[in-house]
Amino acid sequence: MTEVSLSQNGAVLTLHTPEGASRFHAIWLRDNAIDGATRDASNGQRLITMADLSLNATVRAAAVEGDTLALTFDPDGHDATYDLGWLAAHAYDQPQAREPGQLADGVEAWDGALNTAVPSGDYAALSSDDAARRDWLEMVRRYGFAKVTNLPVEEGNLYKIVDLFGYVRETNYGRHFEVRTEVNPVNLAFTGLGLQAHTDNPYRDPVPSIQVLSCLDNSATGGENMVVDGYACALRLKAENPAGFDLLAKYTARFSYSGSAGVKLQSRRPMIELDPDGTLRAVRFNSRSIAPLVDIPFEDMEAYYAAYRQLSDIIDDAAMEVVFKLEPGEAFVVDNTRVLHARKGYSGEGSRWLQGCYADKDGVLSTLAALEASA
Ligand code: FE2
């Protein structure tokens, strides 16, 4: 049984249920009215602007009828009804977590223990079965990476993966790029050297949020792929050195790339990025493209470097790694705002050929949400 009461001359409405009381502001309720004059019936888009809302909105009359709350507002005299379940799902009068480094819903930090259960999906299933695709996308959201197996071994097969959730993000490296040994490499990724775990292209803003790497040939010795959870590394830094965590989140780093003609990419972003409520949003780490750091006050620079070095050491700790060797017809997707990737060194015997491309994380989350809603 739900009861309703008004206070502050109708500026605040309170719903009373056996579970407790939940307050709503009249202006919030008026703004979220679900009716044909306020929201488009077909796409749900809001039809009024802020200028149509009175900051003095109040509830003149309120009544609960079954599962519905019926309201009349002043000063515009608008009538609106609300589903009580919808209001319960959108209640905001409750404690809200604001812990720096907290993780968003559906996100889980991980370390090398995940080697025993590497997230993976079979392409034949992903491309034909919505439940399989939903489960795989859920793993991408949860862990920030997942493998794909059983792809046709053909050039451009990485586009088939992007088609599962979104669209390619083209860059100056092309619609996709080749990752194999080249003479006179313009970028260290195209040599046989091992690479420290990194996020790609932190010099872009916004950064490419999804990377796909697909294997077409991997007969060289070595060359395993390795991934490290930037969120887990940031949280370990916070546990070991809270002040250092704060410094990497508080000050902007700088990244740049100008390795080819006509390109001069530059960004100014923190290594550890938090949402205003403290939720971990992004980790940027790339020793090859870090630029001179000039946004840290003199007094904090030594401590900043100590925290940066400590984060680097955590990233290099084998206990944080998940390692796998891709076979031809296998690929993996990483959330490049979070998961660092690396390659172990490989020898000149045999060959190694991967193709990579970028895409956008909003496509992953949108496709996943739509699949979850229709399940
Ligand atoms: Fe990379």
Side-chain angles (χ1 to χ4, degrees):
M1 179 64 189
T2 299
E3 293 181 350
V4 60
S5 66
L6 299 174
S7 57
Q8 298 180 37
N9 297 319
V12 172
L13 176 148
T14 304
L15 288 177
H16 306 266
T17 67
E19 291 78 44
S22 188
R23 296 169 298 173
F24 296 86
H25 293 91
I27 191 169
W28 187 96
L29 290 163
R30 176 65 191 89
D31 189 31
N32 288 288
I34 304 166
D35 58 73
T38 309
R39 295 263 169 190
D40 185 275
S42 60
N43 62 25
Q45 292 209 310
R46 194 159 158 275
L47 300 171
I48 60 173
T49 70
M50 280 310 293
D52 298 313
L53 279 182
S54 170
L55 286 177
N56 300 316
T58 56
V59 176
R60 182 198 306 170
V64 173
E65 297 158 12
D67 294 331
T68 301
L69 173 69
L71 301 181
T72 302
F73 290 93
D74 276 331
D76 63 0
H78 194 77
D79 293 317
T81 58
Y82 303 79
D83 179 75
L84 290 177
W86 186 92
L87 285 171
H90 293 83
Y92 58 88
D93 183 17
Q94 54 201 2
Q96 303 200 3
R98 303 192 68 84
E99 176 68 22
Q102 66 187 7
L103 298 176
D105 288 344
V107 172
E108 197 174 314
W110 49 266
D111 60 18
L114 196 61
N115 273 301
T116 58
V118 174
S120 186
D122 179 288
Y123 179 72
L126 298 179
S127 58
S128 62
D129 177 2
D130 278 354
R133 190 159 54 114
R134 181 194 66 219
D135 291 347
W136 181 78
L137 290 169
E138 199 277 332
M139 289 190 284
V140 175
R141 178 176 64 190
R142 178 169 301 279
Y143 302 113
F145 82 102
K147 281 178 63 178
V148 178
T149 60
N150 201 22
L151 282 158
V153 184
E154 60 191 29
E155 285 193 49
N157 65 6
L158 73 180
Y159 296 128
K160 292 182 184 294
I161 297 174
V162 177
D163 286 342
L164 296 171
F165 59 79
Y167 304 92
V168 169
R169 175 168 167 193
E170 195 166 347
T171 71
N172 56 293
Y173 297 129
R175 189 165 152 74
H176 77 262
F177 44 89
E178 310 290 340
V179 184
R180 53 180 164 183
T181 306
E182 290 183 2
V183 180
N184 296 323
V186 296
N187 185 309
L188 282 177
F190 303 143
T191 73
L193 299 174
L195 294 172
Q196 188 188 19
H198 59 276
T199 60
D200 261 31
N201 295 196
Y203 40 78
R204 295 184 202 281
D205 190 2
V207 74
S209 44
I210 293 287
Q211 178 171 197
V212 180
L213 279 167
S214 175
C215 176
L216 294 169
D217 182 3
N218 204 5
S219 58
T221 305
E224 294 90 352
N225 285 96
M226 181 245 284
V227 287
V228 175
D229 184 11
Y231 287 177
C233 293
L235 291 174
R236 190 171 144 190
L237 176 67
K238 186 186 174 207
E240 295 176 1
N241 178 1
F245 172 91
D246 288 343
L247 289 171
L248 297 189
K250 177 178 171 184
Y251 294 124
T252 46
R254 295 205 181 201
F255 301 92
S256 65
Y257 175 78
S258 52
S260 43
V263 176
K264 199 164 176 56
L265 289 157
Q266 311 173 64
S267 73
R268 181 174 178 271
R269 286 288 188 173
M271 288 195 206
I272 297 173
E273 183 175 356
L274 305 178
D275 286 335
D277 68 358
T279 303
L280 265 173
R281 164 157 292 271
V283 171
R284 295 175 185 79
F285 187 89
N286 192 319
S287 58
R288 288 169 292 147
S289 57
I290 190 105
L293 301 170
V294 294
D295 302 295
I296 297 118
F298 182 89
E299 296 73 27
D300 285 337
M301 187 61 87
E302 284 185 342
Y304 186 94
Y305 263 96
Y308 178 20
R309 171 59 191 264
Q310 193 170 354
L311 178 63
S312 176
D313 289 346
I314 291 169
I315 287 167
D316 288 343
D317 182 349
M320 306 302 284
E321 302 174 358
V322 167
V323 180
F324 49 85
K325 182 162 183 173
L326 292 181
E327 300 299 330
E330 296 186 341
F332 73 104
V333 167
V334 285
D335 176 345
N336 189 52
T337 67
R338 165 187 178 184
V339 170
L340 298 81
H341 61 280
R343 178 190 69 210
K344 305 282 191 184
Y346 63 100
S347 72
E349 300 159 29
S351 54
R352 185 175 188 268
W353 178 24
L354 276 68
Q355 291 184 317
C357 73
Y358 299 117
D360 295 311
K361 184 177 175 180
D362 60 2
V364 169
L365 299 180
S366 167
T367 304
L368 174 57
L371 289 168
E372 287 176 332
S374 64

